[in-house]
Amino acid sequence: MMLGVIFTAGSSLAGPLADQLEAAGAHDVVTVGHLGELADVADAADEPLLLCTDELVAHTAVLRHLATSPAGPTVALVLARSESLADLVREERGRLVQGEANAAFGGALRVGVRDLPALASAARAAVGAGIDALPAPLQRSGVTIFSHRVRLLVAARVRDRESRAAAEAAIAAVDSDEAELRLAVKEKDDFFATYFVSTWSPWLTRWAARLGLTPSGVTAISVAITGGAALLFWLGGRPALVLGAVLLYLGFVLDCVDGQLARYTRHFSAFGGWLDTMADRTKEYVVYAGLAAGAARADLADGWALGIAALTLQTVRHMTDTWYGALHDEAATRSTAASGRLGAMSNRVQADQGSVAYWLKRTVVFPIGERWALIALTVALFNQRIALVAVLVWAVLAAAYTLLLRTLRARGMRVPVLATVDATLYRDDGLPAHLLGRWAVPPLLAAIVGLAGAAAALWMAVAGVTGYAVLACVVVVLVAALGAGAAHDGALDWLVPAALRAVEFLFVIAVGVAYDVPPPVIFALLLALALRHYDVTARLEKRVGGPPLHRLGLGWDGRALVLAAGALAGAATVAFAMLAGYLLAVLIADSLATWTVRGWGREQPDRLVFNSSSRGGRT
C-alpha cells in the first residue's frame, strides 16, 4: 500500500496527477500546499509516500516505475540537467551523492516507511521553500536516496501552459507499452547479452507476460534447461555436446528474460532477487560439474581438477566483485569514488557507451554471458576439457586484471567498507576465530598468512607428501582467524572475505587430495560452501537480515577443524560427504525460515546497501 501526495506549486496548471498516482499504486491521494502540511502527513503515515509536484508532466509509467523501483526504500526522480531546472543534484552509481551537479531533481520522490521521520524533519526545516528543498536535508540526515532516471518515456517540469502543452504532445507521441518493453532490457549490459540475447529476448518477455508466467517461474525453467545442458555434457558425444551448447545458450536467454519480465511487469521482491542470484550460481557450478564428469567419462585428463579449480576461482572472484561493489557505493556517498587518475579514466570509458574501449572494459572481466558463450562454443567444437581450460585461462587473466586495478583504486579511495557492517558475519567466523581474534592482528595480513598456509598444504598434497604434514598446515591456516577481532578499517580490508574463501577452499582441496577423497565429493562440499557464502552476500544485496541459523554453519575455521578431525580418524570421505549434506540442510532451513516464517525476509535497516537496480543482475 502507498499514499500519494501532490505538492501544489501555487499554479493553476495541475493536470491529472491524482489519477496518475492512483494508477501508479497509490490507494489514496492527498494534496498539500506547503512543506509544513507535508511534515504532518509524513508524521501520520504508516506506509510509503509517493510525493509529486504538480509541475511534473510525465507518462503514468514513469510514476509507476518510481513507485515500484526495487533500488531502495527512498527513490528520487532524476531528469537530465537543464538550465530551466534550478535544483541540481549529483547522481552516481544509482543514488544521489554530494558533489558537483550532473542532473536535476524531477520533483517526485518515493519515501520508504523507515525514512518518513527524516522526511518530516526535513520538511519542517524547509518550511516556506518548495519540494526541491527536500533532497539535500534528507541526505544530510543519513537517508540514502536512490535515483530513477527517465529513459524512452517523457517527464518534464513545466511552469507555463506552453511548456505543458509541449510535454503532453511528447507524451502522446510515445508508444508507452513498446517503450516499457524496451526499458525492461538492462540499459548497460555486457557485450554478449546486448547483441546476442537482448536483440530478441523482449519478444519472449512479452510472451511470458501474456502467459502469466512469473519471473521466478522463468528462473525455474532456466534452471531446468541448464541442468539438461549439464547432463548432456556428462553424456558426451558430438550430438550431445552440440545440443548441450544450444540448451546452455537458451538457459542464459531465460536468465535474462526473468529480469526483463520483472521490470516489464513491475513484479519485484527480495525473494525473487535472492532466488535469481542463487539460481545463477547453482546453474554455473552444475555446468562445471557436468563438464568435469563428462571429461572423466571420456577419459580426458584432469576433468574434475579443472572443474574444482573453476568453481574455486569463480567463487573467490565473485566475493571480490561483491565487496568492491560495496566499496565503490560507499565511496560514492563520500565523493571519493572518482579519486585518482585511474578513477577518472574508468569514468570516461564508462561514459563513452558503445565505444571499443567501453566494450573491452566490460568484456575483459569475463561476465557470465561471456562465460556461457565461451563454454557453449568450445564444448560444441572441441570437448569438455577444452571448455574448462578455456574458462580457467580467461578467468585467471580477468582476476589478475581486476584485482590489480581495483587494489590501486581502493588505495586511493581509502574507504573502510567492512567497518560499516557486521564483519564477523561476512568473514563467516566460528568459535576458534572468536577465541583467536583476541590477538587483533591486522585482518588482511592474517588472511594472507593463512592463504599461504593453505597453498602450502595444497602443494604438499599434490606432491604426495604424507597427509599428516598437510594437516599440520591447519595451524598456519588458522592464523587467518587472528584478525577476527581487529577493526576492518584498512583501505584494502574489503579483500578479507574473498581471501578467507580462498583459504578455506584451498585447504578443503588439499585435505581431499591428501586423503584420496573422490573428486566428485570434494566438488560437492565446495559447492555447498559456495552456496552458503552466496546466500549471505545475496541477503546483503537485497537488504535482508543475515541467515537466522548462520552460527550452525560452524564458521570457516570450525569446518577446517572438522575436516582435519575426520581425516585423522581415517574417515575423510565420510567427513566431506556429511559436512556437505549438513551445510546444504542448514542452507535450506535458513531459506525456509527467511522466506516462509513471518517476520523474516523483511527489509533491514543496514547502513550498507548495494547498487542493485533490478532483479536479474548477473556477474
Side-chain angles (χ1 to χ4, degrees), residues 215-236:
S216 295
V218 174
T219 298
I221 297 172
S222 174
V223 169
I225 290 177
T226 307
L231 181 61
L232 289 170
F233 295 156
W234 169 69
L235 289 174

mmCIF file of all heavy atoms in Angstrom, residues 215-236:
data_model
loop_
_atom_site.group_PDB
_atom_site.id
_atom_site.type_symbol
_atom_site.label_atom_id
_atom_site.label_comp_id
_atom_site.label_asym_id
_atom_site.label_seq_id
_atom_site.Cartn_x
_atom_site.Cartn_y
_atom_site.Cartn_z
ATOM 1 N N PRO A 215 8.440 -14.022 -12.855
ATOM 2 C CA PRO A 215 9.899 -14.056 -13.009
ATOM 3 C C PRO A 215 10.525 -15.292 -12.366
ATOM 4 O O PRO A 215 11.439 -15.899 -12.943
ATOM 5 C CB PRO A 215 10.350 -12.766 -12.324
ATOM 6 C CG PRO A 215 9.184 -11.837 -12.478
ATOM 7 C CD PRO A 215 7.986 -12.716 -12.346
ATOM 8 N N SER A 216 10.035 -15.671 -11.197
ATOM 9 C CA SER A 216 10.583 -16.857 -10.533
ATOM 10 C C SER A 216 10.266 -18.126 -11.315
ATOM 11 O O SER A 216 11.061 -19.077 -11.337
ATOM 12 C CB SER A 216 10.043 -16.973 -9.103
ATOM 13 O OG SER A 216 10.501 -15.888 -8.306
ATOM 14 N N GLY A 217 9.121 -18.146 -11.986
ATOM 15 C CA GLY A 217 8.785 -19.285 -12.831
ATOM 16 C C GLY A 217 9.741 -19.405 -14.006
ATOM 17 O O GLY A 217 10.172 -20.512 -14.368
ATOM 18 N N VAL A 218 10.095 -18.258 -14.606
ATOM 19 C CA VAL A 218 11.067 -18.280 -15.706
ATOM 20 C C VAL A 218 12.428 -18.725 -15.190
ATOM 21 O O VAL A 218 13.145 -19.473 -15.858
ATOM 22 C CB VAL A 218 11.152 -16.889 -16.362
ATOM 23 C CG1 VAL A 218 12.251 -16.856 -17.414
ATOM 24 C CG2 VAL A 218 9.817 -16.518 -16.995
ATOM 25 N N THR A 219 12.793 -18.278 -13.978
ATOM 26 C CA THR A 219 14.050 -18.723 -13.371
ATOM 27 C C THR A 219 14.073 -20.240 -13.237
ATOM 28 O O THR A 219 15.084 -20.890 -13.529
ATOM 29 C CB THR A 219 14.244 -18.072 -11.987
ATOM 30 O OG1 THR A 219 14.313 -16.644 -12.135
ATOM 31 C CG2 THR A 219 15.519 -18.572 -11.321
ATOM 32 N N ALA A 220 12.964 -20.816 -12.794
ATOM 33 C CA ALA A 220 12.892 -22.269 -12.633
ATOM 34 C C ALA A 220 13.063 -22.977 -13.979
ATOM 35 O O ALA A 220 13.760 -24.010 -14.070
ATOM 36 C CB ALA A 220 11.563 -22.660 -11.990
ATOM 37 N N ILE A 221 12.452 -22.457 -15.036
ATOM 38 C CA ILE A 221 12.603 -23.063 -16.359
ATOM 39 C C ILE A 221 14.054 -22.977 -16.810
ATOM 40 O O ILE A 221 14.618 -23.920 -17.379
ATOM 41 C CB ILE A 221 11.669 -22.371 -17.370
ATOM 42 C CG1 ILE A 221 10.204 -22.587 -16.966
ATOM 43 C CG2 ILE A 221 11.911 -22.909 -18.775
ATOM 44 C CD1 ILE A 221 9.217 -21.784 -17.805
ATOM 45 N N SER A 222 14.687 -21.824 -16.527
ATOM 46 C CA SER A 222 16.092 -21.650 -16.892
ATOM 47 C C SER A 222 16.977 -22.670 -16.175
ATOM 48 O O SER A 222 17.901 -23.241 -16.779
ATOM 49 C CB SER A 222 16.555 -20.232 -16.554
ATOM 50 O OG SER A 222 17.933 -20.073 -16.765
ATOM 51 N N VAL A 223 16.690 -22.915 -14.894
ATOM 52 C CA VAL A 223 17.456 -23.911 -14.140
ATOM 53 C C VAL A 223 17.293 -25.292 -14.760
ATOM 54 O O VAL A 223 18.271 -26.043 -14.921
ATOM 55 C CB VAL A 223 17.011 -23.922 -12.663
ATOM 56 C CG1 VAL A 223 17.607 -25.121 -11.926
ATOM 57 C CG2 VAL A 223 17.419 -22.631 -11.969
ATOM 58 N N ALA A 224 16.068 -25.641 -15.141
ATOM 59 C CA ALA A 224 15.819 -26.960 -15.724
ATOM 60 C C ALA A 224 16.554 -27.124 -17.053
ATOM 61 O O ALA A 224 17.169 -28.170 -17.326
ATOM 62 C CB ALA A 224 14.319 -27.168 -15.916
ATOM 63 N N ILE A 225 16.514 -26.102 -17.906
ATOM 64 C CA ILE A 225 17.168 -26.189 -19.211
ATOM 65 C C ILE A 225 18.683 -26.283 -19.042
ATOM 66 O O ILE A 225 19.350 -27.089 -19.708
ATOM 67 C CB ILE A 225 16.784 -24.977 -20.077
ATOM 68 C CG1 ILE A 225 15.313 -25.088 -20.494
ATOM 69 C CG2 ILE A 225 17.680 -24.867 -21.297
ATOM 70 C CD1 ILE A 225 14.801 -23.912 -21.284
ATOM 71 N N THR A 226 19.234 -25.471 -18.136
ATOM 72 C CA THR A 226 20.679 -25.521 -17.913
ATOM 73 C C THR A 226 21.091 -26.851 -17.305
ATOM 74 O O THR A 226 22.155 -27.394 -17.627
ATOM 75 C CB THR A 226 21.114 -24.359 -17.006
ATOM 76 O OG1 THR A 226 20.635 -23.126 -17.547
ATOM 77 C CG2 THR A 226 22.629 -24.299 -16.886
ATOM 78 N N GLY A 227 20.251 -27.401 -16.421
ATOM 79 C CA GLY A 227 20.519 -28.732 -15.887
ATOM 80 C C GLY A 227 20.554 -29.778 -16.985
ATOM 81 O O GLY A 227 21.383 -30.706 -16.966
ATOM 82 N N GLY A 228 19.667 -29.630 -17.970
ATOM 83 C CA GLY A 228 19.687 -30.541 -19.117
ATOM 84 C C GLY A 228 20.976 -30.417 -19.907
ATOM 85 O O GLY A 228 21.525 -31.421 -20.379
ATOM 86 N N ALA A 229 21.476 -29.187 -20.047
ATOM 87 C CA ALA A 229 22.750 -28.991 -20.743
ATOM 88 C C ALA A 229 23.883 -29.695 -19.999
ATOM 89 O O ALA A 229 24.726 -30.361 -20.609
ATOM 90 C CB ALA A 229 23.042 -27.495 -20.874
ATOM 91 N N ALA A 230 23.906 -29.551 -18.669
ATOM 92 C CA ALA A 230 24.949 -30.207 -17.872
ATOM 93 C C ALA A 230 24.883 -31.724 -18.029
ATOM 94 O O ALA A 230 25.919 -32.400 -18.116
ATOM 95 C CB ALA A 230 24.805 -29.812 -16.404
ATOM 96 N N LEU A 231 23.676 -32.270 -18.079
ATOM 97 C CA LEU A 231 23.511 -33.708 -18.251
ATOM 98 C C LEU A 231 24.056 -34.164 -19.605
ATOM 99 O O LEU A 231 24.729 -35.203 -19.711
ATOM 100 C CB LEU A 231 22.031 -34.072 -18.127
ATOM 101 C CG LEU A 231 21.673 -35.559 -18.267
ATOM 102 C CD1 LEU A 231 22.349 -36.382 -17.172
ATOM 103 C CD2 LEU A 231 20.155 -35.757 -18.211
ATOM 104 N N LEU A 232 23.801 -33.373 -20.644
ATOM 105 C CA LEU A 232 24.317 -33.712 -21.972
ATOM 106 C C LEU A 232 25.840 -33.614 -22.007
ATOM 107 O O LEU A 232 26.501 -34.409 -22.679
ATOM 108 C CB LEU A 232 23.692 -32.786 -23.014
ATOM 109 C CG LEU A 232 22.204 -33.031 -23.301
ATOM 110 C CD1 LEU A 232 21.628 -31.914 -24.152
ATOM 111 C CD2 LEU A 232 22.011 -34.382 -24.008
ATOM 112 N N PHE A 233 26.396 -32.653 -21.294
ATOM 113 C CA PHE A 233 27.857 -32.557 -21.228
ATOM 114 C C PHE A 233 28.448 -33.788 -20.556
ATOM 115 O O PHE A 233 29.547 -34.234 -20.902
ATOM 116 C CB PHE A 233 28.278 -31.295 -20.472
ATOM 117 C CG PHE A 233 27.885 -30.003 -21.154
ATOM 118 C CD1 PHE A 233 27.731 -28.838 -20.424
ATOM 119 C CD2 PHE A 233 27.689 -29.953 -22.519
ATOM 120 C CE1 PHE A 233 27.382 -27.652 -21.036
ATOM 121 C CE2 PHE A 233 27.326 -28.765 -23.151
ATOM 122 C CZ PHE A 233 27.170 -27.610 -22.402
ATOM 123 N N TRP A 234 27.746 -34.325 -19.586
ATOM 124 C CA TRP A 234 28.205 -35.548 -18.916
ATOM 125 C C TRP A 234 28.121 -36.752 -19.857
ATOM 126 O O TRP A 234 29.039 -37.579 -19.913
ATOM 127 C CB TRP A 234 27.371 -35.801 -17.663
ATOM 128 C CG TRP A 234 27.597 -37.166 -17.074
ATOM 129 C CD1 TRP A 234 28.727 -37.616 -16.454
ATOM 130 C CD2 TRP A 234 26.680 -38.256 -17.067
ATOM 131 N NE1 TRP A 234 28.568 -38.933 -16.064
ATOM 132 C CE2 TRP A 234 27.315 -39.344 -16.423
ATOM 133 C CE3 TRP A 234 25.374 -38.426 -17.538
ATOM 134 C CZ2 TRP A 234 26.685 -40.570 -16.246
ATOM 135 C CZ3 TRP A 234 24.746 -39.640 -17.360
ATOM 136 C CH2 TRP A 234 25.405 -40.704 -16.715
ATOM 137 N N LEU A 235 27.038 -36.835 -20.637
ATOM 138 C CA LEU A 235 26.862 -37.975 -21.539
ATOM 139 C C LEU A 235 27.930 -37.975 -22.629
ATOM 140 O O LEU A 235 28.461 -39.026 -23.000
ATOM 141 C CB LEU A 235 25.470 -37.933 -22.166
ATOM 142 C CG LEU A 235 24.308 -38.241 -21.228
ATOM 143 C CD1 LEU A 235 22.984 -38.019 -21.942
ATOM 144 C CD2 LEU A 235 24.401 -39.664 -20.696
ATOM 145 N N GLY A 236 28.264 -36.800 -23.158
ATOM 146 C CA GLY A 236 29.313 -36.710 -24.168
ATOM 147 C C GLY A 236 28.860 -37.184 -25.528
ATOM 148 O O GLY A 236 27.698 -37.574 -25.749
#
